[in-house]
């Protein structure tokens, strides 16, 4: 009893606070580990089950409110309980705001309040909260949350936006360094690399770093496999890398984990539609009639090679020298050095459901191949009948099966329209614009 009096706080209250904290921790564990005790088929019930668990936990907390004198800690745990839901809670914001006013040193209260501002759409407020938590102590939660906020905050121009993305990656990297076994921090780092990849020239090394970070997230934390956002973001990267089978599987997995999220199944549907259309048009040579095709091909000649015929021509690989014509059937898988492919455009597709301007071309042997051109301005395109020359083409064979639907075709990847020769000339500089993609940032 003497010990209780010296501490200034009855041991009973310490026990009550510990019980309250454990109740809220169990609620978060139920959310984060849901698929350890439920099948993916139960995904549609998760939000309902979560709401019931939250209601039960909140009821238990309210029963203990009068007996707890350490109001800041109680308000923190009540705010955490209300924060477990994906949507903004005004009551949670009020609880957490009161908690940090009563005890400004409460790091977890600052972080949780920041998450509420994030959900509310107040990114500046969220940033201030996470910075407030970092002033108390360097911690992984504030660092990774700041990483996400920095990628979402508006910037004055593209240069400022680029600096924010680089800073966001650094924040996420610091979070990982503090705890290399935290799957959420690895996931946020993967998202940072995706943003950096698309905002800084699409360096393949950054794409691989993103995929490696996602893989590490799943390796160190089995609950990370249940993040629908991670599967969606990875699918977006797979699609850009033309790993279409993996993209479809990841979109499908994201949809299964969150049946209420409309975008993953829509993206899966659009990609399937695109692949089906590409395959059909390639097989039918764009549905161009035989006589018209022969007339189009009769106009093919090496004069359309334009600058490729010059001994000073610099290829995309950096090689200097003229290029030799190659038939499409002679092209090998991968990079074809020292040659150029030439053909007539027989079909083209807009951007719906995919990331590249896509067209099909037929060469003098009447072989058809699909061409995917990235980073094109919306105003750029080629028309049926145009002559296109592709220096040192990068060729890939696609054999895809997804949900009993199969696709098989060859394609050439072109990372910029400026690498093409169209009707004997290079496109102008306005033909190129950096690609923009949609990915999902998780607000933990």
């Amino acid at each position: 009893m003497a010990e209780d009096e010296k501490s200034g706080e009855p041991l009973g209250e310490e026990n009550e606070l510990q019980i309250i904290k454990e109740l809220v921790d169990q609620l978060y564990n139920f959310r984060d580990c849901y698929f350890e005790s439920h099948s993916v088929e139960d995904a549609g019930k998760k939000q309902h089950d979560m709401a019931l668990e939250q209601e039960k936990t909140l009821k238990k907390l309210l029963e203990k409110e009068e007996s707890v004198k350490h109001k800041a800690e109680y308000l923190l745990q009540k705010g955490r309980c209300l924060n477990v839901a994906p949507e903004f809670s005004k009551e949670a914001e009020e609880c957490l705001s009161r908690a940090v006013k009563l005890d400004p040193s409460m790091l977890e209260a600052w972080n949780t309040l920041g998450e509420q501002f994030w959900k509310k759409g107040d990114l500046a407020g969220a940033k201030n909260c996470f910075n407030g938590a970092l002033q108390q102590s360097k911690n992984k939660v504030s660092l990774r949350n700041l990483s996400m906020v920095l990628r979402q905050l508006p910037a004055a121009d593209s240069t400022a936006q680029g600096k924010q993305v680089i800073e966001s990656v650094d924040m996420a990297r610091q979070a990982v360094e503090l705890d290399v076994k935290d799957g959420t921090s690895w996931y946020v780092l993967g998202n940072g690399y995706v943003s950096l990849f698309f905002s800084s020239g699409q360096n393949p090394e950054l794409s691989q770093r993103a995929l490696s970070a996602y893989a590490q997230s799943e390796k160190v934390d089995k609950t990370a496999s249940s993040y629908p956002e991670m599967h969606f973001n990875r699918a977006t990267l797979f699609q850009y890398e033309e790993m279409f089978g993996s993209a479809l599987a990841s979109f499908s997995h994201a949809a299964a984990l969150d049946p209420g999220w409309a975008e993953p199944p829509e993206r899966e549907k659009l990609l399937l539609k695109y692949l089906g259309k590409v395959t059909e048009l390639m097989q039918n040579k764009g549905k161009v009639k035989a006589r018209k095709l022969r007339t189009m091909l009769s106009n093919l000649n090496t004069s359309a090679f334009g600058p490729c015929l010059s001994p000073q021509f610099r290829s995309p690989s950096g090689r200097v020298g003229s290029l030799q014509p190659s038939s499409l059937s002679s092209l090998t898988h991968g990079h074809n050095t020292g040659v150029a492919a030439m053909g007539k455009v027989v079909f083209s597709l807009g951007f719906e459901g995919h990331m590249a301007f896509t067209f099909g071309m037929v060469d003098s042997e009447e072989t058809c191949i699909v061409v995917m051109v990235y980073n094109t301005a919306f105003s750029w395109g080629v028309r049926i009948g145009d002559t296109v020359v592709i220096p040192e083409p990068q060729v890939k064979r696609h054999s895809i099966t997804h949900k009993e639907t199969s696709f098989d075709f060859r394609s050439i990847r072109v990372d910029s329209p400026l690498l093409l020769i169209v009707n004997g000339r290079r496109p102008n500089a306005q033909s190129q614009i950096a690609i923009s993609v949609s990915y999902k940032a998780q607000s933990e």
Side-chain angles (χ1 to χ4, degrees):
M1 181 65 71
E3 251 184 50
D4 292 355
E5 291 172 1
K6 285 179 184 178
S7 69
E9 184 174 333
L11 286 178
E13 180 163 342
E14 290 182 4
N15 290 337
E16 286 292 303
L17 288 171
Q18 184 61 32
I19 290 169
I20 289 171
K21 183 180 184 303
E22 287 175 358
L23 284 171
V24 179
D25 287 345
Q26 288 168 13
L27 176 63
Y28 276 80
N29 187 69
F30 179 84
R31 181 194 70 180
D32 298 338
C33 302
Y34 185 83
F35 292 107
E36 291 181 25
S37 55
H38 298 77
S39 69
V40 175
E41 286 73 25
D42 292 329
K45 297 165 50 184
K46 183 179 178 181
Q47 290 305 321
H48 176 262
D49 292 347
M50 271 301 308
L52 292 177
E53 288 297 315
Q54 182 189 42
E55 187 180 347
K56 287 192 291 185
T57 303
L58 192 58
K59 183 178 179 181
K60 291 176 182 177
L61 262 60
L62 291 172
E63 289 171 355
K64 297 180 180 295
E65 183 173 8
E66 295 301 321
S67 63
V68 176
K69 295 179 181 178
H70 197 305
K71 293 301 180 185
E73 180 66 29
Y74 176 82
L75 287 167
L76 164 62
Q77 299 307 330
K78 184 179 178 182
R80 286 183 65 217
C81 178
L82 294 164
N83 182 60
V84 77
E87 62 275 356
F88 168 72
S89 165
K90 181 65 177 175
E91 187 178 2
E93 180 188 4
E94 291 171 353
C95 288
L96 295 162
S97 296
R98 287 172 60 198
V100 296
K101 285 178 182 177
L102 289 168
D103 187 351
S105 67
M106 295 183 72
L107 183 150
E108 192 172 13
W110 281 111
N111 280 331
T112 313
L113 179 59
E115 290 177 16
Q116 277 299 308
F117 280 126
W118 172 284
K119 294 174 183 179
K120 186 181 180 180
D122 183 355
L123 297 178
K127 181 183 178 183
N128 289 336
C129 287
F130 300 138
N131 279 325
L134 285 173
Q135 288 174 8
Q136 305 302 322
S137 175
K138 186 176 182 180
N139 67 94
K140 63 185 181 183
V141 176
S142 299
L143 285 166
R144 71 191 183 210
N145 284 349
L146 263 178
S147 172
M148 293 188 293
V149 168
L150 284 169
R151 292 197 300 277
Q152 300 298 314
L153 277 171
D157 51 40
S158 58
T159 301
Q161 184 66 44
K163 288 181 180 178
Q164 284 183 194
V165 173
I166 291 171
E167 188 181 353
S168 82
V169 172
D170 183 58
M171 291 283 186
R173 194 183 291 120
Q174 289 182 55
V176 167
E177 289 171 355
L178 288 176
D179 185 357
V180 295
K181 294 189 180 299
D182 189 294
T184 301
S185 295
W186 278 108
Y187 162 67
V188 173
L189 179 59
N191 285 351
Y193 280 131
V194 171
S195 291
L196 191 58
F197 173 76
F198 285 112
S199 66
S200 62
Q202 296 148 33
N203 183 339
E205 183 182 341
L206 294 174
S207 168
Q208 290 307 307
R209 286 185 186 181
L211 293 174
S212 295
Y214 289 150
Q216 191 67 14
S217 174
E218 292 181 295
K219 180 179 178 181
V220 301
D221 182 0
K222 56 187 176 181
T223 63
S225 296
S226 64
Y227 294 164
E229 300 92 347
M230 182 170 70
H231 294 285
F232 179 83
N233 295 345
R234 185 156 47 189
T236 299
L237 201 52
F238 281 147
Q239 184 173 346
Y240 180 80
E241 297 284 9
E242 296 182 0
M243 301 166 66
F244 297 123
S246 297
L248 287 166
S250 293
F251 281 136
S252 181
H253 199 173
L257 289 169
D258 188 354
W261 185 12
E263 195 168 2
E266 181 62 21
R267 289 278 293 274
E268 179 187 5
K269 178 183 174 183
L270 286 172
L271 182 51
L272 283 168
K273 181 180 177 182
Y274 167 71
L275 293 171
K277 193 175 291 186
V278 162
T279 304
E280 179 189 4
L281 287 169
M282 191 202 68
Q283 290 172 346
N284 296 327
K285 298 175 184 174
K287 299 182 181 178
V288 175
K289 293 182 178 179
R291 180 179 292 180
K292 182 179 179 181
L293 182 61
R294 285 194 296 270
T295 302
M296 288 166 58
L297 296 177
S298 67
N299 296 325
L300 274 180
N301 59 71
T302 54
S303 64
F305 267 52
C308 295
L309 297 172
S310 169
Q312 282 76 45
F313 180 77
R314 182 177 291 275
S315 298
S317 63
R319 174 187 176 275
V320 176
S322 61
L323 300 179
Q324 297 299 311
S326 173
S327 65
L328 294 175
S329 61
S330 299
L331 297 176
T332 57
H333 181 84
H335 185 225
N336 290 261
T337 307
V339 302
M342 178 174 65
K344 287 285 187 178
V345 176
V346 291
F347 70 83
S348 65
L349 295 173
F351 286 93
E352 185 182 2
H354 50 101
M355 301 176 183
F357 181 91
T358 305
F359 66 91
M361 73 178 196
V362 175
D363 68 0
S364 56
E365 295 181 350
E366 298 196 16
T367 301
C368 188
I369 198 165
V370 177
V371 183
M372 301 177 186
V373 189
Y374 293 82
N375 299 298
T376 62
F378 284 105
S379 59
W380 183 87
V382 292
R383 294 174 295 183
I384 293 174
D386 282 348
T387 301
V388 176
V389 175
I390 306 175
E392 299 193 333
Q394 185 80 23
V395 178
K396 187 171 185 178
R397 177 68 175 266
H398 304 275
S399 296
I400 307 154
T401 299
H402 181 71
K403 296 181 178 178
E404 301 181 358
T405 303
S406 296
F407 311 97
D408 196 317
F409 61 94
R410 284 204 316 161
S411 72
I412 295 174
R413 181 189 181 99
V414 182
D415 286 323
S416 166
L418 302 183
L419 301 176
L420 299 173
I421 311 296
V422 182
N423 298 326
R425 297 180 180 180
R426 287 189 184 277
N428 60 44
Q430 287 70 42
S431 303
Q432 176 178 278
I433 188 171
I435 196 168
S436 175
V437 299
S438 169
Y439 76 98
K440 175 75 171 179
Q442 181 195 42
S443 54
E444 293 92 347

